[in-house]
Amino acid sequence: GKPDGFIQKHKGLIYSIVDRDGYKCGIPIKASIIYGSPTLKGLEKRFARNTIKKIAAARFLKSEVLFALGNGHGKTAFTEGLKSGNIGCTVFRNSKGSIQALYFHDHRFKSVASSMELGLPVPELLNRINYQPSACHFLRFILNENGQKVSPLK
């Protein structure tokens, strides 16, 4: 709800259907009438429980990532080491194409943690796997002799 509004003051929660563009459509539904009552109070309790679980899972996740780093040198050995530990990795890049963040997904304990949450800064991780960015990560397009945009991969 709106700040200082009725819903916010009473810790209410309303679910709405949204279209592809993110605009609300249809009639909003109060959380208290949905089966299982996914109210804000219940969700806050669940978040508190999951925070404790995440701390425990983060220790295991960090040890698995460090084990994958120690298996061998290179990006391929690192990703294979993560796969063997049932861990996925998502890479977020900034607008220039350089790696901004790494998120590790532990499929066994169903938890996600960023490299910073694990105490492993991105530059340190990239350095340990001998990551060298290629030119195609930084080139979104190039201009040909007519001034038209051309893909750098062609």
Side-chain angles (χ1 to χ4, degrees):
K2 296 178 183 175
D4 297 327
F6 182 82
I7 294 173
Q8 185 97 20
K9 284 180 185 175
H10 297 282
K11 293 195 171 232
L13 191 60
I14 295 176
Y15 290 93
S16 297
I17 297 173
V18 293
D19 61 10
R20 291 182 186 152
D21 300 323
Y23 294 106
K24 294 178 188 176
C25 58
I27 300 170
I29 301 168
K30 288 174 41 178
S32 59
I33 64 171
I34 297 174
Y35 177 77
S37 194
T39 59
L40 188 59
K41 186 177 181 181
L43 291 174
E44 286 174 342
K45 285 180 185 177
R46 180 176 286 186
F47 291 150
R49 280 194 315 257
N50 288 344
T51 301
I52 295 167
K53 288 180 183 178
K54 184 174 182 172
I55 292 168
R59 283 191 222 133
F60 174 77
L61 188 56
K62 183 176 181 175
S63 67
E64 286 291 318
V65 170
L66 291 174
F67 181 75
L69 281 171
N71 274 346
H73 298 289
K75 188 172 86 170
T76 308
F78 179 61
T79 54
E80 289 300 318
L82 290 176
K83 282 182 187 176
S84 69
N86 205 13
I87 295 170
C89 182
T90 302
V91 178
F92 284 94
R93 298 180 184 275
N94 62 15
S95 60
K96 295 178 183 174
S98 58
I99 296 175
Q100 185 174 358
L102 293 170
Y103 288 90
F104 298 100
H105 317 275
D106 185 351
H107 300 293
R108 189 178 310 148
F109 291 110
K110 297 179 180 144
S111 91
V112 177
S114 72
S115 59
M116 291 304 290
E117 288 175 325
L118 299 176
L120 303 167
V122 174
E124 180 185 319
L125 279 172
L126 297 178
N127 200 16
R128 288 183 67 176
I129 62 172
N130 299 324
Y131 175 78
Q132 298 297 323
S134 62
C136 66
H137 288 143
F138 300 103
L139 294 176
R140 297 269 176 184
F141 62 87
I142 55 174
L143 299 177
N144 65 9
E145 57 274 354
N146 298 332
Q148 297 171 328
K149 292 181 182 178
V150 179
S151 172
L153 303 177
K154 289 184 181 176

